[in-house]
Amino acid sequence: MASADTRGIARNPRRTSFLSHKAWKNLTIFLFLLPAFVLFFLFIVYPITKSVYFSFFSWKGFGDPTDFVGLENFQQILKDKIFHRAIINGLLIIGLSLSVQLPLSLGLAIMVGRDLPGRAFFRMIFFMPYVISEVITAIAFMGLYNPDPTRGLFNAILILIPGVKAQAWLGNMQLVMPSLFVVLTWKYFGLHMLLFLAGLQGIPIEVEEAARIDGANGLQLLRYITIPMLGSTIRTSVYLSILGSLQQFILVWIMTKGGPVNASEVMATYMYRFGFVRFWYGYGSAVAIVMLLISLVFSIGYLRIIRQPEYLGGE
Amino acid sequence: MTSLVARPKINLRKYSSRIVQYAVLSLIVIVVFVPIVMLVFSALKTRGEAMTNPYTPPIPPRWDNYLNILRAPNFWTMLKNSLIVMAGTTTSVVLVCSLAAFVFARMKFRSKDLLFNILTLGLMFPINIAILPVYLLIRDLKLPDTLIGVMFVQTAFALSGNIMILRGFFLSIPMELEDASYIDGCTAFDFFWRILMPMARPALAAVAALTMIASWNDLLVPLVLINKETLWTLPLGTMQFQGQYGMDISLVNAFVSLSAVPTLLFYFFAERQIVAGMTAGAIKG
């Protein structure tokens, strides 16, 4: 690098005439980073910092916040039964994602494998739901979940079984979360499958062949070779899955608005309700801060303890 | 690989396992298509037909629902707004992120790691969580009900991930190339603009494709920032349309399936870039 510096000076009289090489380099760094940092601080750091301030006020959005209430908003949130429900539902989505969605995606990825004829076709179709917007997904599934069997496909199939009645999938307090989870799985299993496929690509075929020659059967191969060697992909998938579950909003909001009777409330719908439907900006800000803290603690904890990604701490 | 005697047996086993594989995978293909096909089936029927036999294929297809929507000006207004936001967000994301990624990948300076770590913290503040603070800011800046406000917010929240993807790619370009360009009298900017950017085209395409999809599908930011009907984007319009005409299921489904067409076309056209960006993003992030 040092030699490149001196050469640069020698060959570039144009810019050395009014600025030293070092000043020029610093100017480049400054100007190149400026737009990213301006946007970052203006639209992410500044509003969040300000929200911390708002969260100490009881503020309904008119004029400046003046009614300082200290930590009362936070106490209120942590005491609220509906917020507890939101947390439980978040944990439920996480639990189901990890126990159903990820194994399903992994299984499909292994089935598609490296060399199945038609591999590209399956990959393309399975990933398709991920690129379809949440609005479209939500409306399509609301049609399928229609409680009337002459309107909703799921009930039309269900009543074919003798003795089984049509269900109000999204209107039933017990069924609403599993029903939403089906939609989430439909939309996101392709993403995880894609990651697993990329991970499988990184396992050298010789390792599997060697194990096969040593007499390993399919299950042993999976248990002792494939899953351990996919370790970092699985950890990434788990991370994305948990973080995604904590932030679920649009699908739930369009399909159920958190109902019936808050049965499908998640943290983001709770925040939206107070912030944008009731205009309790102080309380809504406090909810946003709680959500941020939860994801932040989870992210940092997970990255520190389970998975050290290459970007933390530079190279 | 195997002895002569064992071969037929193994082939048979391989053959039957292949059949199971294809059966399962085909089943999943059907599951993926069911919601979409049902939308289109219902959209191609008259209101009466959709009521009486909702699950049969639409024979003969009725194109009236689609024509009604294509003839209405608001669908085209929403399409235009979505396109403007997508183009604006994608251009600024690609530009801003590649400038920053270049500095983080190729320049040496004090506090580089610190600055980079600050930016990567952005990954932990997703828009779904930060939307209320952001809305309050946009209100203070007098930017609600403008498409530019939507673009600013979408860009800001796309920075961290994309800077990481591009930085990873820029790091993989050999250092010698940079030295050579400096010997030839290039400035840092020349190297960035004339050598690095053209070489990084695959990575830039991946970032652009991902950003386009994310911006096009985004509902939350327009939902919160836009009230004026003339500024609705397609997802926002779709949601409102469903609320307004919910009774006429065929018409709603025509609107919904039509609004999926641009995404799907784009997906089948740019699948490689999208997949590349997705896997790079997830592995880096």
Side-chain angles (χ1 to χ4, degrees), chain A residues 12 25 32 42 46 50-51 111 116-117 124 131 133 149-152 186 236 247 284-285 292 295 311 315, chain B residues 18 21-22 31-32 54-55 103 108 125-126 128-129 132-133 137 140 167 185 217 220 263 267-268 271 282 284:
Chain A
N12 277 292
K25 188 186 115 182
F32 276 31
L42 183 59
Y46 172 71
K50 225 170 155 191
S51 253
M111 266 195 185
L116 188 81
M124 179 176 241
V131 300
S133 77
T150 64
R151 297 266 200 87
W186 181 84
T236 303
Q247 298 156 16
S285 295
L292 275 175
S295 353
Y311 65 83
E315 305 132 75
Chain B
R18 272 280 149 91
Q21 258 171 307
Y22 280 120
V31 169
V32 167
Y55 309 122
V103 170
K108 285 203 176 93
F125 300 126
N128 281 15
I129 293 180
L132 180 61
L137 169 79
D140 287 350
R167 172 177 171 272
N217 285 343
L220 187 63
T263 325
Y267 173 58
F268 290 121
E271 193 229 16
K284 288 280 170 231

Side-chain angles (χ1 to χ4, degrees), chain A residues 1 4 7-8 11-12 14-15 24-25 28-29 32-33 35-37 39-44 46-48 50-51 54 59 61 104 108 110-112 115-118 120-133 135-136 139-142 144 148-153 156 186 189 191 194-195 198 209 236 239-240 243 247-250 254 268 271-272 275-276 281 284-285 288 291-292 295-296 299-300 303 307 309-315, chain B residues 1 18 21-22 24-26 28-29 31-36 38-39 51 54-55 96 99-100 102-104 107-109 112-113 115-126 128-141 143 152-153 155-157 159-160 163-164 167 171 175 179 182-183 185-190 192 213 217 219-220 223-224 235 238-239 242 249 252-253 256 259-260 263-264 267-268 271 274-275 278-279 282-285:
Chain A
M1 276 313 282
R7 282 187 208 111
R11 300 282 169 126
N12 277 292
R14 177 164 56 91
R15 73 190 145 121
W24 192 263
K25 188 186 115 182
T28 310
I29 292 172
F32 276 31
L33 288 183
F37 275 92
L39 284 170
F40 185 76
F41 276 96
L42 183 59
F43 288 100
I44 302 181
Y46 172 71
I48 288 173
K50 225 170 155 191
S51 253
F54 291 150
W59 179 39
L104 172 82
L108 288 174
I110 289 170
M111 266 195 185
V112 172
D115 54 356
L116 188 81
F121 167 80
F122 289 119
R123 192 183 71 179
M124 179 176 241
I125 300 302
F126 293 170
F127 189 59
M128 191 176 69
Y130 184 79
V131 300
I132 293 178
S133 77
V135 187
I136 296 171
I139 295 175
F141 272 90
M142 280 162 81
L144 298 177
D148 179 353
T150 64
R151 297 266 200 87
L153 182 68
W186 181 84
F189 83 93
L191 167 70
L194 195 73
L195 301 181
E209 271 171 6
T236 303
Y239 176 70
L240 291 178
L243 217 53
Q247 298 156 16
Q248 246 350 290
F249 173 66
I250 295 285
I254 295 181
M271 192 229 355
Y272 192 85
F276 293 104
Y281 291 138
S285 295
M291 284 174 77
L292 275 175
S295 353
L296 201 64
S299 286
I300 293 176
L303 295 179
R307 176 168 161 268
E310 50 271 60
Y311 65 83
L312 280 182
E315 305 132 75
Chain B
M1 258 196 286
R18 272 280 149 91
Q21 258 171 307
Y22 280 120
V24 174
L25 293 175
S26 309
I28 306 285
V29 171
V31 169
V32 167
F33 271 109
V34 163
I36 303 163
M38 291 311 294
L39 272 185
M51 293 283 194
Y55 309 122
V96 173
L99 287 172
F102 167 69
V103 170
F104 286 124
M107 303 273 231
K108 285 203 176 93
F109 56 100
K112 176 165 114 170
D113 287 349
L115 289 177
F116 186 65
N117 283 339
I118 290 175
L119 265 191
T120 54
L121 267 184
L123 279 182
M124 294 164 193
F125 300 126
N128 281 15
I129 293 180
I131 189 70
L132 180 61
V134 169
Y135 166 74
L136 294 174
L137 169 79
I138 292 282
R139 211 178 60 154
D140 287 350
L141 291 176
L143 281 175
F152 271 134
V153 175
T155 306
F157 281 86
L159 290 175
S160 304
I163 289 177
M164 265 159 49
R167 172 177 171 272
L171 278 172
M175 216 58 187
D179 292 342
Y182 288 142
I183 294 170
C186 278
T187 60
F189 182 78
D190 291 331
F192 167 73
I213 295 255
N217 285 343
L219 170 64
L220 187 63
L223 173 67
V224 166
T238 308
M239 189 182 121
Q242 197 261 348
I249 291 175
V252 169
N253 287 346
V256 173
S259 76
T263 325
L264 290 181
Y267 173 58
F268 290 121
E271 193 229 16
I274 295 166
V275 167
M278 213 56 240
T279 39
I283 286 163
K284 288 280 170 231

